[in-house]
Amino acid sequence: MTKFEPISDPIIVQEVAPRDGLQIEPTWVPTEEKVRLIDAFSDLGFSRIEVSSFVSPKAVPALRDAAEVFARIKRNPDIIYVALVPNERGADDALAAGADELNLVMSVSQTHNLANMRMTGEASFAAFQAIAKKPRGKATLNGSIATSFGCPFEGDQPEQRVLDLVRRYLDLGVDGVSLADTTGMANPRQVRALVDKALKLVPPGALTLHFHNTRGLGLANVLAAYDAGARRFDSALGGLGGCPFAPGATGNICTEDLVNMCHEMGIATGLDLETLIQLSRILPPLLGHDVAGQVMKAGRNCDLHTAPALVR
Ligand code: COA
Ligand code: ZN
């Protein structure tokens, strides 16, 4: 484990491979394989798992079995099973399927929202206002802001527009807010500055950072966010993931790489790295391609190898 004294504040890792990870995969992953993966995440001890999206099956065919997946997974009452929702129809379907949390998603960038959700930001927000008024039983609401750190179509997004959206989500009564770096444009200095300001509006237990490793800065951004006080992070097994409606999108930060970094530094995650690595090794045969995760290939620091015999 770690050479360092434990740091007192653990992080919460929300596993998003079943949703963000699989939404961009060209190979159909059969429902029973999705269920097996999600059940394995439940057994591993994640407290939050993003299970699927209730979106148009034409927009994201890979997740067209969202309701069936929800119906077939083993439910642990201590785990929050999240559904991504773009509109009222998605919210109704996700509630009917028994989602514990609806993750409402819109982009700060108008151009990305039009490409991704085929509507303006105001139209997305109007739908969220209607969703917030629906009877939802115990289901909670999370408000995600895509392209918070930059947009592949528009470039930089003003911090103030992101923070205004955070405020508008809070006014709706959401239980949490996520800042998403949809195509990995964030840098650590920018992350520190925005997290610092966001944490004046949202407590650390309700703010999630969603990073993609598109330009290799994913874990550097996690650390900058952690140092600024953030404690909740999205990540995907194997580093799968990406938005199908953003050019050049690639994977989320990789769960087992994140957990490895945290454990080596003395930050607890509540997750077992060895089991995670074993699970991530099922991904290449399942998807038919190599995945981005690095620790699954190198092993843990403590996994010692037999030294080769000395060559004379
Ligand atoms: N779930 C399933 N089907 C839905 C739906 C939902 N939440 N919302 C709309 N649809 C269906 C409609 O019934 C209609 O079906 P039809 O063509 O068979 O009649 C079709 O989708 C188009 O409906 P419309 O209201 O005109 O939507 P649209 O074409 O403007 O698309 C979204 C809007 C939001 C449904 C679509 O852009 C979408 O699903 N985007 C999600 C993208 C995504 O998941 N990105 C990655 C995550 S950030
Ligand atoms: Zn994402």
Side-chain angles (χ1 to χ4, degrees), residues 13 255-264 269 271 273 276:
V13 181
T255 303
E256 59 278 19
D257 293 0
L258 169 68
V259 167
N260 176 64
M261 177 183 82
C262 289
H263 291 187
E264 288 297 322
T269 65
L271 299 165
L273 181 56
L276 269 174

Side-chain angles (χ1 to χ4, degrees), residues 45-48 75-81 100:
F46 286 93
S47 54
R48 311 177 59 89
R75 297 290 289 258
N76 176 333
D78 295 330
I79 300 176
I80 297 165
Y81 295 94
D100 296 315

Side-chain angles (χ1 to χ4, degrees), residues 60-219:
V60 185
L63 301 183
R64 62 182 183 268
D65 55 353
E68 208 185 332
V69 172
F70 263 97
R72 288 169 57 178
I73 53 174
K74 271 189 302 186
R75 297 290 289 258
N76 176 333
D78 295 330
I79 300 176
I80 297 165
Y81 295 94
V82 180
L84 183 144
V85 161
N87 57 13
E88 276 195 78
R89 155 95 187 266
D92 293 340
D93 291 353
L95 290 170
D100 296 315
E101 180 164 282
L102 309 184
N103 184 20
L104 312 173
V105 179
M106 64 178 285
S107 306
V108 63
S109 147
Q110 189 74 258
T111 315
H112 184 255
N113 210 67
L114 284 167
N116 194 30
M117 299 302 180
R118 296 166 56 95
M119 58 184 132
T120 61
E122 283 311 314
S124 284
F125 204 81
F128 300 162
Q129 282 172 313
I131 292 168
K133 292 195 187 113
K134 285 179 192 288
R136 296 190 307 276
K138 288 198 179 110
T140 51
L141 289 182
N142 186 72
S144 280
I145 306 174
T147 64
S148 280
F149 297 90
C151 166
F153 303 111
E154 294 181 4
D156 291 345
Q157 297 297 304
E159 258 190 356
Q160 200 47 54
R161 275 184 37 207
V162 178
L163 295 168
D164 286 347
L165 260 182
V166 171
R167 269 199 208 89
R168 290 183 73 187
Y169 266 135
L170 293 173
D171 289 345
L172 274 191
V174 297
D175 304 276
V177 173
S178 297
L179 302 179
D181 185 22
T182 309
T183 56
M185 293 172 72
N187 70 69
R189 191 166 162 184
Q190 176 192 17
V191 166
R192 177 183 287 273
L194 186 56
V195 168
D196 210 43
K197 295 188 180 89
L199 284 174
K200 294 194 168 60
L201 306 172
V202 191
L207 180 71
T208 301
L209 276 297
H210 177 104
F211 292 123
H212 282 258
N213 198 35
T214 321
R215 293 174 177 80
L217 293 179
L219 292 187

Side-chain angles (χ1 to χ4, degrees), residues 34-47:
K34 291 175 178 142
V35 169
R36 196 175 310 178
L37 193 60
I38 294 161
D39 287 349
F41 289 137
S42 293
D43 291 343
L44 253 153
F46 286 93
S47 54

Side-chain angles (χ1 to χ4, degrees), residues 2-26:
T2 177
K3 302 179 265 296
F4 300 106
E5 286 298 309
I7 295 175
S8 54
D9 273 8
I11 61 163
I12 290 176
V13 181
Q14 173 165 258
E15 177 56 55
V16 300
R19 194 281 296 174
D20 203 328
L22 297 185
Q23 70 183 7
I24 199 171
E25 287 297 330

